[in-house]
Amino acid sequence: MKRLKDILYRVSIEAVHGATDVTISKIEFDSRKVESNTAFVAIKGTLSDGHDYIEKAIALGANVIVCEQFPETIVQGITYVQVNDTNEALAYLSANFYDNPSEKIKLVGVTGTNGKTTIASLLYQLFKKAGYKVGLLSTVKIMVDTEEFKATHTTPDSLTLNYYLDQMVQEGCEFCFMEVSSHGIHQKRTAALQFAGGIFTNLSHDHLDYHNTFAEYRDVKKSFFDYLPKSAFAITNSDDKNGVVMLQNTKAKKITYALKSYADYKAQILENQLSGLLLKINDNEVWVKLIGSFNAYNLLAIYAVAVELGIEKVEALRLLSELESVSGRFQFIVSDTKITAIVDYAHTPDALENVLQTIDNIRTKNEQLITVVGCGGDRDKTKRPVMANIASTLSDKAIFTSDNPRTENPEIIIQEMEQGVEPQNFKKTISILDRKQAIKTACQLANPNDIILIAGKGHETYQEINGVKYDFDDLEIVTELLQQLNK
């Protein structure tokens, strides 16, 4: 139980109606979860407005209502707190309710278009190997040291964030690594958190269905670094043209990493094979199990964080060499007939191009590269023709298929993809609506030594169609299909 006046610390209050010395047992922004003595926060969402559910929340037992405008009917005995922004208020209320757990742990946020999951997950892996108790907040999963929980968003809501951070503190975790999405920043989910450091990976075409322009998308990412405290570090990719922009107004210690330009942490790729990379990092060579230049950037950022958080450089390199790839990120299998199938989460133009160029760098050119790719529904439509163009240009064959169509017609999504294919590449493309059939066709078209890339879903174990999630695992399906072909 908490007193309302104690959890209102740092909340920007416009007006209060009722007593603030009341006690509450929980905070909720979903009226369906309200119980007796709940503080209900009315959030204006994209699909519904929490202000429409204030009466329902009170009927279920809410004794405090936090809102942006008072309702027409004021109920006696209920405390109403009017704020300018309920998203921001929820962030501070949640942090205060759980006694500000982010201040008791070294919390590091990773933001950018690509690489967030890999960097956060591998940092968790590295610090576990170094003997620490560690937390992870990622797209793939949430880890409270060794206990795993299911993740539903890249950056969870403020209540969920602070709940798990509190669990980590109680478990004795010293560090937590989390993905910070542009949605999470824009919706103030991270507003009340104290970060020990931030990492910028890169910026490319994504989420323009949510952010009106690329400039807005960039500035939202930048605001994360603007609010880092002086005690924190801000690590940026100086090879990305937006890397320097991210650090323009930060008070944090500025640190750079790069493969091409001058930087505090510099790496060079000496060897790039399907079995791994030989990197030279600040004059020290290290063999790692991940491949591709995009992973060289990820590993360099990880090394920089490890050193900045106090791990000895030699030890950090040793731990780097032991890291295993993250679920759904360039996972591959080789069949008995020597067909290589690669599953990757690449769902943006930049990520798809990076993966295809990585494959191109390690192939002999005597084999076919067959790409199976789709685009998600209810998401940024402008990237669909771009991704189809990349797939058809950089592959010997490209099969366009359904991804997670959600509420959209998957046939229309594929048609929008097809518009990006240049005339000289028409003959290289096939469109197959059913994703399993598309993967099966790729397997049937492949000859020994050929490479199949299945892009877009990676670690996901479902396919979402009209609000229903059906079991679907790219890696499991391609493994099964190649085993059948082997027989």
Side-chain angles (χ1 to χ4, degrees):
M1 300 285 280
K2 297 277 184 178
R3 287 191 305 173
L4 175 61
K5 62 182 181 182
D6 293 333
I7 67 165
L8 286 173
Y9 174 60
R10 294 188 296 173
V11 175
S12 183
I13 300 169
E14 303 274 316
V16 176
H17 186 284
T20 59
D21 61 351
V22 295
T23 57
I24 61 163
S25 57
K26 63 186 298 198
I27 301 169
E28 286 295 349
F29 60 92
D30 183 341
S31 61
R32 295 167 297 184
K33 297 178 182 177
V34 169
E35 298 170 0
S36 181
N37 297 320
T38 296
F40 174 68
V41 184
I43 301 285
K44 289 181 178 177
T46 51
L47 299 175
S48 63
D49 185 348
H51 291 77
D52 297 334
Y53 299 92
I54 289 175
E55 283 187 25
K56 180 186 174 183
I58 292 170
L60 289 170
N63 62 340
V64 174
I65 302 295
V66 181
C67 52
E68 292 180 10
Q69 61 268 337
F70 287 151
E72 289 180 12
T73 305
I74 298 293
V75 179
Q76 278 304 112
I78 303 297
T79 302
Y80 297 84
V81 181
Q82 185 184 3
V83 298
N84 181 53
D85 184 341
T86 46
N87 277 302
E88 187 177 81
L90 178 64
Y92 285 106
L93 288 166
S94 303
N96 292 334
F97 187 82
Y98 287 105
D99 295 323
N100 295 290
S102 65
E103 295 176 6
K104 303 167 188 173
I105 194 170
K106 287 183 179 175
L107 177 64
V108 177
V110 190
T111 195
T113 305
N114 302 311
K116 295 188 296 295
T117 303
T118 298
I119 290 174
S121 300
L122 293 182
L123 276 167
Y124 167 84
Q125 200 184 120
L126 186 146
F127 276 77
K128 281 298 294 172
K129 286 177 180 292
Y132 294 99
K133 285 196 166 191
V134 194
L136 172 68
L137 293 158
S138 80
T139 305
V140 178
K141 60 188 174 184
I142 293 168
M143 297 296 298
V144 178
D145 196 33
T146 56
E147 193 172 357
E148 184 176 329
F149 301 89
K150 191 176 179 182
T152 55
H153 293 80
T154 301
T155 306
D157 61 79
S158 307
L159 262 177
T160 306
L161 275 174
N162 282 282
Y163 168 77
Y164 281 114
L165 285 168
D166 182 50
Q167 293 293 303
M168 291 171 198
V169 170
Q170 289 185 42
E171 187 58 33
C173 295
E174 292 184 55
F175 303 95
C176 175
F177 303 103
M178 73 173 282
E179 294 184 51
V180 180
S181 67
S182 59
H183 291 66
I185 300 166
H186 188 255
Q187 293 170 11
K188 311 287 179 68
R189 296 179 213 164
T190 58
L193 300 182
Q194 175 88 18
F195 284 92
I199 308 161
F200 170 72
T201 61
N202 49 63
L203 206 64
S204 64
H205 190 134
D206 201 16
H207 300 309
L208 298 189
D209 56 320
Y210 182 86
H211 304 287
N212 297 317
T213 63
F214 185 82
E216 183 187 310
Y217 175 49
R218 177 200 64 211
D219 291 345
V220 168
K221 295 280 190 189
K222 180 181 177 296
S223 68
F224 170 70
F225 295 94
D226 291 347
Y227 290 105
L228 285 178
K230 192 177 180 181
S231 58
F233 58 77
I235 299 176
T236 194
N237 175 1
S238 57
D239 282 347
D240 188 288
K241 62 184 178 182
N242 295 289
V244 177
V245 175
M246 293 294 141
L247 306 192
Q248 280 176 350
N249 304 109
T250 191
K251 302 181 196 74
K253 177 185 176 184
K254 299 177 182 179
I255 300 159
T256 56
Y257 69 96
L259 296 184
K260 300 171 186 173
S261 54
Y262 174 79
D264 299 306
Y265 293 90
K266 182 79 185 282
Q268 182 183 354
I269 299 173
L270 302 179
E271 287 183 35
N272 185 9
Q273 303 170 14
L274 200 56
S275 55
L277 284 168
L278 180 61
L279 297 176
K280 190 175 185 181
I281 300 179
N282 287 6
D283 298 325
N284 292 299
E285 291 187 12
V286 60
W287 176 264
V288 293
K289 298 173 187 177
L290 283 73
I291 73 166
S293 59
F294 60 96
N295 270 324
Y297 280 106
N298 294 337
L299 290 161
L300 193 52
I302 290 161
Y303 175 74
V305 173
V307 173
E308 294 301 324
L309 288 176
I311 293 180
E312 289 290 328
K313 292 177 182 178
V314 175
E315 177 66 359
L317 288 171
R318 185 188 70 77
L319 293 166
L320 215 61
S321 71
E322 294 181 2
L323 299 179
E324 303 284 347
S325 62
V326 177
S327 174
R329 269 63 177 180
F330 216 96
Q331 277 188 291
F332 68 91
I333 59 159
V334 181
S335 74
D336 293 346
T337 53
K338 304 300 179 193
I339 296 169
T340 300
I342 299 165
V343 171
D344 194 90
Y345 188 53
H347 63 288
T348 66
D350 186 53
L352 183 62
E353 187 172 5
N354 281 338
V355 171
L356 286 168
Q357 286 179 342
T358 293
I359 294 169
D360 195 56
N361 289 339
I362 57 177
R363 61 188 284 217
T364 65
K365 311 295 191 292
N366 293 320
E367 67 287 282
Q368 289 188 105
L369 171 55
I370 304 167
T371 298
V372 180
V373 64
C375 290
D378 302 332
R379 298 292 186 268
D380 186 357
K381 294 184 178 185
T382 60
K383 68 184 182 184
R384 293 171 186 173
V386 182
M387 288 183 68
N389 176 257
I390 290 166
S392 58
T393 302
L394 298 179
S395 311
D396 297 299
K397 286 188 177 71
I399 303 174
F400 303 145
T401 190
S402 184
D403 189 287
N404 290 320
R406 298 182 178 89
T407 64
E408 280 196 70
N409 184 334
E411 291 184 10
I412 292 173
I413 296 174
I414 291 174
Q415 286 168 15
E416 290 175 353
M417 290 179 69
E418 290 170 341
Q419 290 170 14
V421 180
E422 295 177 5
Q424 69 270 25
N425 294 326
F426 285 159
K427 290 182 179 179
K428 293 162 65 176
T429 66
I430 316 168
S431 294
I432 300 172
L433 194 62
D434 184 275
R435 191 173 180 90
K436 185 171 183 178
Q437 188 59 47
I439 296 170
K440 186 176 182 179
T441 301
C443 294
Q444 290 169 335
L445 289 172
N447 297 313
N449 300 314
D450 285 353
I451 300 169
I452 300 168
L453 170 66
I454 305 166
K457 288 172 58 58
H459 65 281
E460 293 176 352
T461 55
Y462 62 86
Q463 188 174 30
E464 188 177 341
I465 304 169
N466 289 323
V468 180
K469 289 185 176 181
Y470 299 91
D471 288 344
F472 200 101
D473 187 321
D474 282 350
L475 188 64
E476 197 175 276
I477 286 168
V478 74
T479 302
E480 182 186 311
L481 289 168
L482 286 174
Q483 284 172 349
Q484 288 173 9
L485 283 174
N486 288 344
K487 292 175 185 176

